[in-house]
Structure formats: C-alpha cells, structure tokens
C-alpha cells in the first residue's frame, strides 16, 4: 500500500476547512501518487487534470468566500471507464471505443460533481464490464496493489485498485454480476451494489440492462454511504430508476446492530470455498454474534443454478446492447468493400475475445428454436432465485456470505478457462439476479496477506440496513487482519 493511503472523506473536509491543504493541493498530491504508482498498477486509463483542477479551484474559491461547502467538496475520486464523462475519453476497456469522448455526463457523475468531488480520471476495467479479473481489458490487466502478480478482481478492477492503493479517496464502479463486490473483496476495500433502480443508469454504457448498477467503492463504510447518499434517487432520464424516497443513510448506519437477525445460507459455504476464506467469514459472523446479532441458518436452494441463468441472461442482453457498435455513428470504423464488410471488419478488430464469445452465446440463446430452452428457462430460474431471497427476508434482516470463493488469484491463472472464471461468480450473481442490494467489506487477510471480503445482502431498497450492519461490523473491530 502506498504511504498516506489514509485520506477519508471526513479527513478531506476537516483539512480543507482548517485550511491545512487546499483542494488544488490535494488534487496535486493525488496526481503525484498516481504518477508514482500507476505504471505498475495500470489502474487509470485516462487522467482528467483539467477537469479536476477546474473543480478544485471552484472549491477553493468557495472556501475563500466562506461559503458552506457541499457534502463531498474537494474529495478526489475515480470513475470506471464504462461511465460517461463529458469531454473525457470513455473507452469501456475496449478498442472499439478507444477514441470515444462522450458529449454528456452520466447522472451519477453529474450529481457527484455537484456535491463537490474532484474527478481525477477514468479507471481500467474488463471490456464492457465483462469479466471477473480485469484481464479482458484491451488496455492490459490491472495489478492488485496487495500482490502485483495477482488480479484485482473485475470487472471494476481499476476502481477497486485505486482506492486500495490510495490513488483516489473513493470511486465509482458498476456491478452486473459482482463487478463491484468481487474486486472490493480481492483488493480489501468496501464496495456497494445498490438495489436495481436505486441509482440512475443514465450515461452508463450498457452491458446487461436488467442487471447493471452503478455503485461506490471506498476504504470504509461511511465513505461508501456518503457517495450513495449523493447518487441515489430518481432520475427522469432513466425510466428504470425508482421513485423510492432516499433515507438519511448517514444517520441510519450509526444505529446499533444488536438484535439484527443475520441469515447464513449453508449453500454459500459448501464445495469450492477456499478454507481460509471460510475461516475468515465464519470469524466475521462470530464477531457479529458477539455484537448482539442473531445467527439464523438458511437454505437458498436455487443458488447452484444462478451462474448458468446469469450467463444466459447477461449474454442475451449484451448481444443486443452491443449491436450498436457497427462503425457507423461513433467509435472505431474499419473500412470494407461493402457495408457488411465494414460492419464485420469493425467488429472483428474492435471487440476482444471475451466480448465476441458473449455476443455469440447471447445470440444463440435468443435464436429461434433455442429461446425457450435457454432464455425463457433462465428467466424462470431468475424468478426462483429472487424467491429464495424474498423467503429469506421473511425470516432475517440481512444475509451474510463470503463475497468470492477465493482470494485474488494469479494473473493468467484462469484466463484460458472461461468456465472456471464464470463459476467464481457463484456468490455474487444470486443477488444480481434478485436485484437486491449487497456490499462487500474487508474481513481480514489470508496467511499470505491477501484480503478476504464478507458480503451482506439486504431486501430491495434497504441499503441502509446493509450499510448499518457493515458499519456495525467495522465498529466491532471487523477490519482486524
Ligand atoms: N464477472 C461477471 C461477468 O463476467 C460480472 C461482471 C459484472 O458485474 N459486470 O459477467
């Protein structure tokens, strides 16, 4: 970890208000850190100093005038490169969008900037967020700050790594099947997948529209909560964003956790779970029990089918969403003798192997004759998985599981075997299919020093309960290695 990796949102605020540092100087400090570390981590793809310093100077001017500062004034953050940023290149980790500069900001970005954040740059990720290791980026893998020969997880690997390495105070990622929670777990930071519909997807470049969510990473639960408080809520530009009132999260999370019923599904602790990960998560649950939570054993019988259903639904939606990259309106164009030849060449040269695999899988699952056998059946499984969660939340307040079946693996270890890679998503895709909120929080380290994450799910639109438990875990000393 880089030295001085310990800026938090409240630390930034106190330092700015007491004039220990200006927002401009703070941004410069982060760019100096990035300068030092990014070459080995490959976590930032694009830096946006003009935008960052412009915003920092506005914050400094407000401080000089004695204005009340917005909630996140001067906080340096990073944004995953599938989220649109006006005037700042947004590649989606793909060659096909190598030179794409969006003409508008995603709503989440716009809201954060209105709340004062300083956007340092855009982070590396698996191409179009398809992957669990960041090895599918067209711009090379991200290296885990805890062990450079290991993956940071994916697809939001860059967003997790920059927070873990102290190259941003917080960041935005996206989670379709685990892409916030799993890299948070592998990098030893906290990452929240909000309820589907809680945060606007306007400006998020689509992978699988019924599953995609934007959410925050930070080093602690309060900072995750601060970002959520700003980005949550209805947006008229996204018809799937929900008009559900946003509670005062920062107040809610300080409520004591004594008496909360935590469901522990046996289906998440069986075959394939690394023993050290199991030990750590069990120890985490024991800590919660000592803090007054009640442990309730659960069965979630459709867990085993979730990976298969997820990879049908996600690829089906992806095959449709990615049809727009045809070389006509924006992005890469590779000329061809005919229009069809131009389409073909553009897509052949522009997409990497995993994206092509998924387009083929999804097209197959949606094709006539196979639609009922694959796509419809996967949708039925999705309903059953969602029902597992609904049943569980009749009996418990939250569900606690491991986030990933193993700690960070070596770069290259799984990349030749897509099925192995997909199976590692077993604990995260369930909640994605159900659309419920979930967080991954640090829960100690293995003997080799690799971070382990604990996952907490809550009912739809009950982020405050998930965050309350996570915050309670922190207060009870849950970070202990
Ligand atoms: N690892 C999963 C996948 O490859 C999740 C990706 C995501 O959440 N964007 O699809």
């Amino acid at each position: 970890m880089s030295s001085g990796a310990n800026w938090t949102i409240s630390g930034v605020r106190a330092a700015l208000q007491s004039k220990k540092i200006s927002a401009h100087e703070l941004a410069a400090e982060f760019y100096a850190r990035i300068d030092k570390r990014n070459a080995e981590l490959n976590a930032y793809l694009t830096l946006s100093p003009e935008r960052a310093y412009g915003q920092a100077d506005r914050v400094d001017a407000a401080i000089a005038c004695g204005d009340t500062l917005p909630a996140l004034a001067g906080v340096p953050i990073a944004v995953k490169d599938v989220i649109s940023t006006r005037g700042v290149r947004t590649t989606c980790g793909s060659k096909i969008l190598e030179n794409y500069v969006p003409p508008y900001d995603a709503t989440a970005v716009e809201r954060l900037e209105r709340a004062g954040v300083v956007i340092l740059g855009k982070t590396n990720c698996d191409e179009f967020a398809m992957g669990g290791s960041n090895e599918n980026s067209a711009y090379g893998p991200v290296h885990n700050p805890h062990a450079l020969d290991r993956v940071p997880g994916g697809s939001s690997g860059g967003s997790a790594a920059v927070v873990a390495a102290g190259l941003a105070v917080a960041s935005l990622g996206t989670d379709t099947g685990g892409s916030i929670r799993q890299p948070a777990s592998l990098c030893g930071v906290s990452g929240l997948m909000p309820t589907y519909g809680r945060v606007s997807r306007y400006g998020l470049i689509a992978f699988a529209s019924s599953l995609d969510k934007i959410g925050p990473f930070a080093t602690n639960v309060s900072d995750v909560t601060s970002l959520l408080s700003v980005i949550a809520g209805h947006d008229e530009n996204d018809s799937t964003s929900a008009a559900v009132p946003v509670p005062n999260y920062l107040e809610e999370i300080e409520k004591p956790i004594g008496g909360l019923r935590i469901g522990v599904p046996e289906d998440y602790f069986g075959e394939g779970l690394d023993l050290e990960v199991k030990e750590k998560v069990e120890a985490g649950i024991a800590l919660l029990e000592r803090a007054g939570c009640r442990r309730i054993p659960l069965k979630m019988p459709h867990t085993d089918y979730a990976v298969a259903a997820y990879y049908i639904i996600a690829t089906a939606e992806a095959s449709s969403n990615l049809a727009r990259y045809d070389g006509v309106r924006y992005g890469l164009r590779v000329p061809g003798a005919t229009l069809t030849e131009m389409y073909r060449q553009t897509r052949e040269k522009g997409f990497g192997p995993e994206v092509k695999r998924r387009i083929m899988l999804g097209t197959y699952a949606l094709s006539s004759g196979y639609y009922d056998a694959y796509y419809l059946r996967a949708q039925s499984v999705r309903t059953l998985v969602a029902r597992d969660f609904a049943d569980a939340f009749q009996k418990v307040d939250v569900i606690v599981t491991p986030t990933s079946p193993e700690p960070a693996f070596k770069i290259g270890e799984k990349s030749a075997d897509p099925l192995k890679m997909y199976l590692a998503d077993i604990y995260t895709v369930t909640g994605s299919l159900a659309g419920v909120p979930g967080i991954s929080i640090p829960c100690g380290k293995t003997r080799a020093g690799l971070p382990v994450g604990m996952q907490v799910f809550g009912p739809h639109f009950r982020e405050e309960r998930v965050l309350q438990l996570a915050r309670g875990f922190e207060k009870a000393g849950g970070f202990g290695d």
Side-chain angles (χ1 to χ4, degrees), residues 35-51:
D35 230 27
K36 245 202 226 145
R37 278 301 308 267
N38 196 49
E40 62 177 11
L41 295 176
N42 195 28
Y44 277 101
L45 290 178
T46 304
L47 298 176
S48 47
E50 222 175 282
R51 187 163 174 167

Side-chain angles (χ1 to χ4, degrees), residues 80 129-132 154-155 174-179 207 310-311 358 425:
K80 184 180 182 181
M130 297 177 190
S155 63
T174 64
D175 195 314
T176 304
S179 280
F207 159 16
Y310 167 82
Y311 276 95
R358 293 193 188 206
D425 296 336

Side-chain angles (χ1 to χ4, degrees), residues 151-437:
V151 304
S155 63
S156 315
S159 289
V162 296
V163 170
L167 307 187
V169 172
S171 62
L172 284 184
T174 64
D175 195 314
T176 304
S179 280
I180 291 175
R181 293 159 288 155
Q182 185 255 20
S185 163
L186 272 44
C187 287
V189 299
S190 297
L192 175 81
M193 167 183 72
T195 308
Y196 183 79
R198 178 86 282 186
V199 174
S200 169
R201 286 184 297 116
Y202 182 69
L204 162 59
I205 298 175
F207 159 16
S209 311
S210 78
L211 295 157
D212 294 343
K213 295 129 199 153
I214 293 178
F217 287 95
T219 55
N220 65 68
V221 175
S222 303
D223 287 359
V224 164
T225 308
S226 294
L227 262 73
L228 178 71
S229 307
V230 170
I231 62 176
H234 181 249
D235 171 19
E236 60 179 24
N237 286 329
D238 173 7
S239 58
T240 62
S241 78
V244 176
V246 177
N248 184 336
Y249 291 124
L250 283 163
E251 218 171 272
E252 292 288 327
I253 66 166
E254 299 301 337
K255 291 188 176 161
I257 57 172
L260 283 183
R261 297 162 302 169
I262 50 176
V264 181
E266 61 180 42
D267 320 77
Y268 285 68
F269 289 82
E271 208 192 322
L273 176 57
D274 176 274
L275 282 180
E276 278 193 85
V277 172
K278 185 174 179 176
E279 223 174 77
K280 290 289 164 193
V281 176
E282 281 292 356
I285 295 168
L287 182 70
L288 288 169
E289 284 185 88
R290 287 200 297 281
C293 296
R294 204 140 50 83
R295 175 185 181 135
I296 298 181
L298 283 179
K299 280 203 173 71
M300 302 184 76
H302 300 97
T303 304
D304 276 357
Y305 307 104
V307 167
Y310 167 82
Y311 276 95
I312 299 282
I313 294 167
T315 58
E317 294 185 17
S319 71
S320 160
N321 275 326
L322 271 58
R324 71 189 67 167
Y325 305 104
D326 55 7
V328 175
R329 281 158 298 178
Y330 50 82
L332 180 75
R333 175 184 297 176
V334 181
T338 62
L339 182 64
T340 312
E341 201 43 36
M342 187 278 283
Y343 288 158
R344 192 172 285 156
Q345 286 295 329
T346 299
R347 290 168 72 82
E348 160 59 27
K349 298 267 169 4
F351 289 138
E354 180 63 25
V355 171
K356 286 178 186 157
R357 181 181 297 123
R358 293 193 188 206
I359 291 173
M360 286 189 282
L361 273 171
T363 306
Y364 181 79
L366 289 176
S367 56
S368 99
Y370 298 100
Y371 181 87
D372 292 6
Y374 293 104
Y375 185 72
L376 276 190
R377 201 177 286 181
Q379 291 290 13
S380 310
V381 172
R382 184 176 191 171
T383 304
L384 293 172
V385 170
R387 218 173 274 161
D388 277 355
F389 277 89
D391 290 347
F393 289 127
Q394 298 291 318
K395 294 178 249 166
V396 302
D397 298 304
V398 290
I399 296 169
V400 177
T401 77
T403 307
S404 167
E406 56 187 346
F409 45 91
K410 289 242 165 78
I411 293 176
E413 194 179 317
K414 284 193 215 286
S415 45
D417 188 346
L419 192 59
K420 225 184 192 171
M421 194 81 92
Y422 297 170
L423 286 170
D425 296 336
I426 171 118
Y427 304 142
T428 51
V429 291
T430 49
S432 309
L433 290 171
V436 298

Side-chain angles (χ1 to χ4, degrees), residues 121-132:
K122 306 297 293 288
T123 53
N124 201 348
C125 56
D126 285 302
E127 187 174 1
F128 286 101
M130 297 177 190

